[in-house]
Amino acid sequence: MSKTVYRTCPTTGLRIDLSAQALIKANAVAAVVFLAIGGLFGLSVALTRWPAVHLLPADWFYLALTAHGLDVLLLWIIFFEIAVLYFASAILLNSRIAAPRWAWAAFALMLGGGLVTNVAVLQGQSSVMFTSYPPLMAAQHFYLGLILFAVGALIGCFVFFGTLVIARDEKTYQGSIPLVTFGALTAAIIAVFTLASGAIILIPTWLWSIGLVSNIDPLMYKLVWWAMGHSSQQINVSAHVAIWYAIAAMLFGAKPLSEKISRTAFLLYILFLQLASAHHLLVEPGLSSEWKVFNTSYAMYLAVLGSMIHGLSVPGAMEAAQRARGFNNGVFQWLRKAPWGNPAFSGMFLSLVMFGFLGGISGVVMGTEQINIMMHNTLYVPGHFHGTVVAGTTLAFMAMSYLLIPLVFQREVAFPSLAKWQPYLFGLGVAGLSLFMMGAGTLGVARRHWDITFTSAPFDFNYPPTAYLLMGLNGMAAIAAALGGLMFIVIVVKSVFFGKPVRDRITLAAPSGQPISAAVASYGSAGTLRIPGTLVLVGVFFTAFVLYYFVNWKYLSEVWPMR
Amino acid sequence: MAITSPSTRLWWNEPAHRSELIWIALAFVWGLVMFFMMIYWHATGAQNLANETYRTTPNAYYAKVERNVADWQVRELNGLPVIKPPAGADVYLLGRMWLWYPVLELERGQTYRLHLSSLDLQHGFSLQPININVQVHPGYDHVLTVTPDRSGEYTIVCNEFCGLGHHTMLGKIFVVDR
Amino acid sequence: MSEIEPAPDQEPLRIPFMQRVLDNHFLLLFLGVVVPTVLYIIWGILELVQIPVAP
């Protein structure tokens, strides 16, 4: 065992294990590389689905769509999440990282697996979509790469758990772990379930592709596969909620309104969030309505309760901190005076709002057992998850990157004026993607479909003209999002590899007002707190939620009667 | 702060703010409303997806489809048989790469037991323009009891990726007045 | 990191039950894996294996 080497962070005073720092850097850089590749594939998909452009031929379209899902939904997100896990454990707990060699082995497995699967897809014999539903069969190394990646990420999770144990034993923190680390713990727990499910279903599928197993039951596959496919998005939710709290703390010195309520909300995630894997099986044969209703509702919507708690306590914590610093006029001065020019804040706030309004509401509505009949496998589904995974998670991760660059990479953020606009352009594009796809989905337009004009089909059929308009707007929104994504890549690459080193203490919080230390005083007690602005925001959210929910029941009542 | 350990050792005993507690109560009740709405719709609503499912094999299912065609074919459309089953009948529809077979002609207001299965890969039964979407699996016979309540021409789009010809996979259901 | 520790001569703090649960990371890991495995995967598999053969 080599001796652990530390540096002391000039900004926070935290003791930073250099091997943890190197691991965070490696995972974050790999994440961004896959974001760039996957984003490019995504743009080509959206431009193909724009009927007037129709960029790619059919075989390339299905190949690009498979690669897009794989690279952004799995590789970008999970690499970044491993970086977040190491940050939230070793750095925030002031600890050394557990088993750095294992962590590097995990990184190598993930990278190798990701590359092998990408090669399999690019060779053209594995255009089976991200979901690879049997009996559709990919090349054997497609599955092998995914298995290696899942095993690597699982090892990464256990390095996180090991670090928690070391930090507790070596008493690098006192009392309980920070809330952000608790959110990361939630993500890691869900990740263990996710990655284990993935390995359990992909290993027999891999053996099937080699010829050692004769048959994979398509329903059984789907049941277990979605325990990975959907739960991996629940890792994202937990991770980006943790990041919301982290950014609120780093920029405003915000303290959770209530430790117990925020942690209980994460506990509801740990227990129930993964049940929503059932969202993908609501119009499947062979599963009872009891199973569907219980699982799709995360056990009576207890995990939605968790999200709604975070939806109040994250902006509430910022409002309380801003008010404590003197921005106390009216209902919204605290928000107006927020650092809108700081991409870490704007990215985080856009992520919070869009995750709630676009991804959150649509997800719960679409996940209603009967309403799903009108939405399953239409473009509504990708519309929804671009609201959660891209507007929510990706934007939050981008915002976090603007803080990791100075703190962990010790570089100044390059092109600061470009960085200022990046979250807005990307957010605008993604909001468009999400809304236009959901709109097209309500008109019935199928997802994963190369030609909605059906030119070589045996029958004539046309979707409503509005659908074509929406697909065109979707293409334009994709261009905006891709430009925003490109700006992010350029800024990150320039900062990380060619950026000006940061040696001194830096100021994270931009706006004037009292220094952070004054705001950190304990305003969390029941008597002193005032958060009227946040209450208005959640009131608007709740009204939109209720109205949209019942509107969809109205639509459903107009469909053919069936039982 | 959220990035440091709680400043109070016994943070569980800190009182919570009233507005936060009210929000939690509201969100909890709303969750119950949404949960019981699904159950309520099972009791009173007209649109609930059936769970009636049987194991089958592509060969056995195909034989049933062919018997339907032999018994009830009324005409051809673009080379495909059009069948007009009697009200209440078990109607077998199959998806295969890249065809929905056969074409159905149903009467408005009548109820049919519509069977769905696949001969090869998974397919997506997406009935347009009313937007009913059901996943279709090989080896499983899923029985929906449907009552078309408006006449017209309906198109079945495949909305699960099923290979390179996926985007040409269309079928038809005609609903005619009695 | 402003931790308020009891003075050494005081009694050890009685930590509330829920706080102890939330601080027990491996208990949470156990629950977070077992609950969805039972309610989602095992319950689901039991239903799938009981699908009858077509008459």
Side-chain angles (χ1 to χ4, degrees), chain A residues 496-558:
Chain A
V496 167
F497 295 106
F498 312 102
K500 223 191 286 173
V502 173
R503 303 213 188 282
D504 302 325
R505 186 186 165 82
I506 53 164
T507 317
L508 290 174
S512 58
Q514 292 174 27
I516 283 178
S517 54
V520 188
S522 64
Y523 54 72
S525 58
T528 56
L529 190 71
R530 272 187 66 240
I531 47 167
T534 300
L535 295 180
V536 170
L537 292 178
V538 297
V540 171
F541 170 81
F542 188 72
T543 311
F545 194 170
V546 173
L547 288 177
Y548 188 68
Y549 181 75
F550 284 112
V551 162
N552 276 282
W553 281 105
K554 171 78 174 64
Y555 289 150
L556 181 72
S557 71
E558 292 162 5

Side-chain angles (χ1 to χ4, degrees), chain A residues 165-244:
Chain A
V165 172
I166 286 177
R168 193 186 51 206
D169 289 351
E170 298 181 357
K171 296 195 168 40
T172 63
Y173 67 97
Q174 288 172 311
S176 307
I177 56 175
L179 180 62
V180 171
T181 310
F182 193 78
L185 170 68
T186 305
I189 290 171
I190 296 177
V192 169
F193 173 75
T194 299
L195 297 164
S197 303
I200 285 169
I201 196 59
L202 286 171
I203 289 170
T205 310
W206 174 54
L207 296 175
W208 169 69
S209 72
I210 300 176
L212 294 176
V213 169
S214 63
N215 178 45
I216 295 286
D217 184 272
L219 263 179
M220 205 69 91
Y221 172 91
K222 219 170 161 177
L223 178 81
V224 184
W225 192 90
W226 278 112
M228 173 185 79
H230 199 89
S231 303
S232 62
Q233 310 319 311
Q234 318 294 22
I235 313 173
N236 303 344
V237 174
S238 313
H240 76 227
V241 172
I243 284 176
W244 293 344

Side-chain angles (χ1 to χ4, degrees), chain A residues 164-165 174 176-177 182 185 189 193 223 226 267 270-271 274-275 277-278 281 286-288 290-291 294-295, chain C residues 3 5 18-19 22-23 25-26 28-29 31-33 35-37 39-41 43-45 47-49 51:
Chain A
L164 291 187
V165 172
Q174 288 172 311
S176 307
I177 56 175
F182 193 78
L185 170 68
I189 290 171
F193 173 75
L223 178 81
W226 278 112
L267 176 66
I270 292 172
L271 297 176
Q274 296 110 303
L275 303 184
S277 307
L281 296 122
L287 291 159
S288 70
E290 289 82 358
W291 182 91
F294 182 82
N295 280 289
Chain C
E3 177 66 25
E5 278 291 290
M18 276 309 291
Q19 182 169 335
L22 291 170
D23 280 344
H25 309 148
F26 288 92
L28 296 178
L29 173 63
L31 291 175
V33 172
V35 168
T37 301
L39 292 176
Y40 173 85
I41 293 184
W43 183 5
I45 287 176
E47 295 208 333
L48 294 185
V49 299
I51 298 174

